[in-house]
Amino acid sequence: MADLRPIGAPFVALGPSGVAIRDRLKGLTGEDEKVLRLVGDHLGALAGRDLKARCVTGLDHDTDAWAGRKRALTRESSSRWAGSITKATHDQWALSRRAQLAHIQGLEAGIKTIAHRLSLPLCEKGSGRAPGGYRTAQEWFAKSRRLHVLQDRLERERDDRAAGRVRVVRGGKRLLRNRHNLDAARLSEAQWRQRWQAQRRFLQADGESGKRYGNETIRVTCDGAVSVKLPAPLAHLANAEHGRYVLAAKVSFPHRGDAWRDRVTANRAVAYRIHEDVERCRWYLTASWTIPPSRTTPLATARLNGIIGVDTNADHLAAWRLDKHGNPVGVPRRFFYDLSSNADHRDAQVRHALIRLLHWAKRHELSIAIEDLDFAAQTTREKHGHRKQFRKLISGMPVAKLRSRLLAMTAELGITVVAVDPAYTSQWGAQHWQRPLTSTNRKTTRHDAASVAIGRRALGHPIRRRTAPPHDDQSERRGHRTAQTGPGTRRREGTRPHIPGPRTRSDGAGCGANAGDQCAQHRSGHAAEPAQPILSL
């Protein structure tokens, strides 16, 4: 027990800080699509040029350099388009820096693991927290060469980070690599070129509070009419005054349309993005805005009526309801999802599983306890070696998407989410709860037991069913040993109440007169009741 890592305290997870809704631009004419593609291609070229200038500047970037870039973009577009482009460039550069740091940390973890395993004899067994030696001399030799490769990569990445160099691909690295593997991607060159151009277009504008309908660049009125402010070189394409182009399509935003309509009516900032789905031949408009962080519920209030512990797995959510003392109530629930198809299908499956879970929690008016998982350091092949299926299992778990989806959906329903430390929940749950909760009619799985452990940790109880007895003797000298019931609970040490009637099939009615006498019940040797004189007839 001495080498266990410290376990963090549970906390109430914060809700979402923004809202994004999307609607299809139906009824676009051929001229509308032509204008949108011309505007997007022109602004996309400006965005690529600006991103290149930002990457060249590196760590030497300052306010003057930003102002110079914005002035150069303003001459070829407008001041508002230039502001949106430079902001997107800064966000992309900052994201690349964070990804670079994560890559460096992954390389350091891989080098540390390989060096440790190379230092061990062949076929030496590892422990639960450290891998053992390599199985063969051939594997040992291959890993020794890989160690040098990783060290070279780490040195190169550290030099890039110190110099402020990042590598960014506008349009996505995966789509860029598909250009050299069109047969594997099942794309023709024309199809790939169409997707590549659609991904590199730039048609997004930040909102401005106090301006008409919250956005002067991409304006959407209360009745759904969409108009775009054309850049200066394309102003001759305008079909409305002040260099604007009004689209034939209208939007309604069925989801959260009332909230969006309230914002544009009050002229509050709303950001818009127009993009094309090449596979479906459709155009979409996405509206987004920030919201103030919701007022978090105190942890004591979230624990008041009990909690629902949820264990996240590769194909389902295992959930169990617990009362405020940490005792499982009812039967376990499982909410399944299938992650074997494309991204849209996986997202829909996760969303449907969460909807069923939240409806169950809302019906009982309970909070939800979930692990604060992060598998960034667990998916590397250097740690688990040849266990490819296990690494695939961990990588396939939708941890980040499920957490973000859950927080967004619970904020709408008013359900509190309590995040707990994931350390040892599966191991200790199976050790202390799997067998006691298994019966002839119900087989408790390891995941069900883990959900009980998660719920008990969120409630502030220890995971094990009872605390250890005192070291000196078996008395109650050091306090009550039961973890489920607190010292302040009434009648916790009281005698059993007398229940009239037969208590077993062998007893007749009227038996059990000594049910309230502990001496008689436990046969301690003391007289249960005064001796009765023998009457002689």
Side-chain angles (χ1 to χ4, degrees):
M1 299 294 291
D3 58 345
L4 297 180
R5 73 170 181 85
I7 299 176
F11 61 93
V12 177
L14 296 176
S17 59
V19 176
I21 55 178
R22 189 180 70 170
D23 196 11
R24 181 183 173 186
L25 292 172
K26 297 181 180 180
L28 289 176
T29 63
E31 184 66 21
D32 292 342
E33 295 185 1
K34 178 182 177 181
V35 171
L36 288 178
R37 291 191 179 98
L38 289 175
V39 174
D41 292 339
H42 176 72
L43 296 176
L46 298 181
R49 189 193 314 167
D50 184 67
L51 181 60
K52 178 181 178 181
R54 178 64 185 90
C55 293
V56 170
T57 307
L59 299 178
D60 298 331
H61 180 266
D62 53 9
T63 307
D64 296 335
W66 170 78
R69 289 175 24 234
K70 187 175 180 180
R71 283 193 299 268
L73 293 173
T74 302
R75 289 192 294 267
E76 301 184 55
S77 56
S78 67
S79 60
R80 289 189 174 89
W81 279 122
S84 299
I85 291 175
T86 53
K87 183 180 182 299
T89 297
H90 293 162
D91 293 341
Q92 184 64 59
W93 189 85
L95 177 63
S96 301
R97 289 280 290 180
R98 293 194 298 270
Q100 188 181 54
L101 178 60
H103 184 45
I104 290 175
Q105 293 173 348
L107 290 174
E108 291 175 347
I111 290 173
K112 181 179 178 181
T113 303
I114 292 179
H116 170 72
R117 299 189 68 181
L118 289 176
S119 64
L120 299 177
L122 294 177
C123 300
E124 180 171 337
K125 293 184 177 180
S127 62
R129 299 175 182 84
Y134 291 108
R135 293 176 296 176
T136 61
Q138 181 181 4
E139 186 179 7
W140 189 97
F141 175 73
K143 290 298 181 180
S144 65
R145 300 186 65 181
R146 177 166 174 78
L147 177 62
H148 293 292
V149 173
L150 294 182
Q151 289 175 344
D152 293 340
R153 291 181 185 175
L154 178 60
E155 184 178 357
R156 183 170 61 252
E157 291 294 334
R158 284 176 174 173
D159 293 341
D160 290 344
R161 183 165 183 81
R165 288 191 297 268
V166 296
R167 292 169 173 82
V168 186
V169 178
R170 292 195 67 254
K173 185 185 294 185
R174 178 178 299 179
L175 186 58
L176 177 63
R177 290 177 175 176
N178 287 342
R179 177 63 182 86
H180 306 288
N181 301 275
L182 294 177
D183 295 336
R186 298 179 180 179
L187 294 173
S188 64
E189 184 176 353
Q191 292 174 336
W192 178 90
R193 179 66 59 184
Q194 190 177 10
R195 295 187 182 187
W196 179 251
Q197 292 177 350
Q199 290 293 330
R200 290 173 63 87
R201 292 192 187 107
F202 187 91
L203 276 171
Q204 63 186 48
D206 301 325
E208 299 175 88
S209 293
K211 300 298 182 180
R212 193 177 182 185
Y213 300 115
N215 198 314
E216 286 286 349
T217 310
I218 300 178
R219 180 185 296 169
V220 184
T221 62
C222 298
D223 57 354
V226 184
S227 62
V228 179
K229 175 68 175 179
L230 297 179
L234 301 176
H236 61 279
L237 300 175
N239 61 359
E241 57 183 5
H242 305 299
R244 306 192 67 88
Y245 187 89
V246 181
L247 302 178
K250 290 189 176 183
V251 294
S252 58
F253 295 116
H255 177 60
R256 291 182 177 178
D258 295 336
W260 165 79
R261 200 168 289 104
D262 293 340
R263 291 190 67 89
V264 297
T265 304
N267 295 331
R268 301 177 62 186
V270 180
Y272 295 105
R273 175 175 176 261
I274 301 176
H275 61 282
E276 180 186 8
D277 189 342
V278 178
E279 297 182 20
R280 300 182 179 182
C281 298
R282 296 177 179 178
W283 289 82
Y284 292 93
L285 175 69
T286 303
S288 59
W289 62 88
T290 59
I291 58 176
S294 57
R295 194 174 180 181
T296 58
T297 305
L299 185 59
T301 305
R303 296 171 171 173
L304 192 59
N305 299 324
I307 209 165
I308 295 178
V310 180
D311 181 51
T312 306
N313 302 285
D315 59 348
H316 74 282
L317 299 175
W320 208 322
R321 178 186 174 188
L322 282 74
D323 62 14
K324 63 180 180 180
H325 301 298
N327 300 313
V329 178
V331 296
R333 300 285 299 271
R334 299 180 183 92
F335 306 95
F336 292 91
Y337 45 78
D338 181 20
L339 304 178
S340 59
S341 187
N342 54 27
D344 294 336
H345 174 78
R346 293 194 301 267
D347 184 70
Q349 288 285 309
V350 171
R351 187 171 62 253
H352 294 163
L354 289 179
I355 288 174
R356 297 193 297 270
L357 171 64
L358 294 179
H359 285 177
W360 182 43
K362 187 66 175 179
R363 185 165 59 250
H364 295 285
E365 297 182 355
L366 297 176
S367 304
I368 294 176
I370 194 169
E371 294 175 302
D372 189 16
L373 290 172
D374 183 13
F375 288 135
Q378 305 292 332
T379 56
T380 174
R381 66 178 182 178
E382 310 303 339
K383 181 172 184 178
H384 300 289
H386 61 282
R387 300 171 64 184
K388 185 176 180 179
Q389 293 297 328
F390 182 71
R391 289 189 282 113
K392 184 178 180 180
L393 176 67
I394 294 179
S395 301
M397 294 180 68
V399 177
K401 180 174 293 186
L402 187 145
R403 182 169 54 236
S404 60
R405 281 280 186 188
L406 180 63
L407 292 177
M409 298 171 71
T410 52
E412 293 297 317
L413 296 176
I415 299 176
T416 306
V417 177
V418 180
V420 301
D421 194 318
Y424 316 113
T425 52
S426 298
Q427 179 181 353
W428 290 351
Q431 178 182 355
H432 298 291
W433 289 97
Q434 188 172 4
R435 288 188 59 186
L437 295 177
T438 301
S439 63
T440 56
N441 299 326
R442 179 181 65 204
K443 181 180 179 181
T444 303
T445 64
R446 185 182 182 92
H447 306 302
D448 298 331
S451 65
V452 176
I454 294 169
R456 289 182 61 84
R457 180 169 289 176
L459 290 169
H461 299 305
I463 291 180
R464 63 181 302 167
R465 299 175 63 217
R466 288 180 179 270
T467 57
H471 298 285
D472 46 5
D473 54 22
Q474 298 296 319
S475 67
E476 298 291 344
R477 175 178 311 177
R478 300 193 181 184
H480 191 59
R481 297 186 307 171
T482 306
Q484 284 87 341
T485 307
T489 304
R490 298 182 59 187
R491 301 185 62 185
R492 65 187 181 90
E493 294 291 356
T495 59
R496 289 187 303 165
H498 172 59
I499 302 175
R503 305 184 64 179
T504 64
R505 278 185 282 181
S506 61
D507 289 339
C511 297
N514 298 326
D517 193 336
Q518 292 296 309
C519 297
Q521 290 294 319
H522 298 290
R523 302 182 183 275
S524 59
H526 300 286
E529 47 185 339
Q532 300 293 334
I534 302 176
L535 300 179
S536 59
L537 300 176

